[in-house]
Amino acid sequence: MIIPKPEKIEIEFTDAKLTGMAGALFIARLARRFKLPEQLSTHIQLKKRNRGCDDKDSLLGLIYNFCAGNGHLSDMDILQKDRPTVSLLGLEDVRGSRRMGEYLSRFKADSVKALYGVIVISADR
């Protein structure tokens, strides 16, 4: 039996900024198709001041992070620093883990009901 010689593999190095969360782009497109960003902007209003990361980007960042298989709030710090991914996902900003924990602590029963309403509206589309 003759074993053929394997092809030579060429490796190129780049200074381009790459991301390990490219699959999140699919989720972001799906979210836009179901108008999830608009629904979150309309129905979820936990922020008190008009600065920093808004409700929509906070929740979408969390959703995209969890969909990428990142199961801890500390993973938000990695996403926050991954500017190419943040831009590709259509987010203006992403909260770090500490701020995300503070943000999530603002959810009360009425906020959870509003979030559930967004899910139902999006699923009906």
Side-chain angles (χ1 to χ4, degrees), residues 8-76:
K8 184 178 179 182
I9 298 174
E10 292 185 33
I11 299 174
E12 292 185 30
F13 295 93
T14 179
D15 290 332
K17 295 183 179 181
L18 304 175
T19 179
M21 291 185 58
L25 185 57
F26 170 75
I27 302 297
R29 286 182 178 167
L30 189 61
R32 284 192 291 274
R33 180 170 284 167
F34 283 106
K35 305 216 182 295
L36 184 59
E38 292 86 355
Q39 294 298 322
L40 290 172
S41 291
T42 302
H43 296 288
I44 308 297
Q45 296 167 357
L46 297 176
K47 277 196 59 137
K48 297 188 181 355
R49 290 182 268 181
N50 192 17
R51 64 182 177 128
C53 191
D54 64 9
D55 292 308
K56 169 188 64 80
D57 283 354
S58 296
L59 292 170
L60 287 172
L62 188 65
I63 290 167
Y64 299 153
N65 204 31
F66 285 152
C67 286
N70 301 324
H72 301 280
L73 282 182
S74 61
D75 294 321
M76 293 300 295

Side-chain angles (χ1 to χ4, degrees), residues 56-57 60-61 64 79 83 86-94:
K56 169 188 64 80
D57 283 354
L60 287 172
Y64 299 153
L79 177 59
R83 301 314 300 173
V86 170
S87 177
L88 281 172
L89 295 175
L91 303 174
E92 292 178 31
D93 199 7
V94 174

